[in-house]
């Protein structure tokens, strides 16, 4: 599952415990921003940075390779390699 950043940790712990008590396995894929952006002054504190963070978390949790700095860093790297 993916966790919304504003959900208290005790709620997540209760969900994990409840699922495990039924004999199933659950994995936390990461924290996503939905109701609120990150702290002001951080990359996640911008709309584009928040979306980049979410995409990077999902891709990584599903087995993809995500460059450090997210997809924005990948785009910048690709742009630089192509003489941009």
């Amino acid at each position: 599952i993916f966790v919304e950043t504003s959900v208290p940790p005790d709620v997540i712990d209760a969900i994990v415990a409840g699922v495990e008590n039924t004999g199933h396995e659950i994995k936390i894929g990461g924290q996503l921003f939905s109701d609120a952006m990150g702290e002001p002054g951080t990359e996640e504190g911008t709309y584009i940075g928040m979306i980049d963070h979410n995409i990077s978390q999902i891709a990584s949790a599903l087995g993809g390779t995500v460059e450090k700095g997210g997809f924005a860093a990948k785009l910048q790297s690709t742009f630089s390699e192509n003489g941009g």
Side-chain angles (χ1 to χ4, degrees), residues 21-65:
N21 284 340
T22 66
H24 293 88
E25 182 180 339
I26 188 170
K27 294 182 182 180
I28 305 295
Q31 289 189 321
L32 304 179
F33 293 93
S34 64
D35 290 342
M37 292 189 294
E39 295 294 321
T42 66
E43 186 67 27
E44 295 84 5
T46 67
Y47 184 76
I48 298 297
M50 175 188 73
I51 297 299
D52 189 0
H53 168 86
N54 287 352
I55 292 169
S56 297
Q57 285 288 310
I58 293 168
S60 179
L62 296 177
T65 302

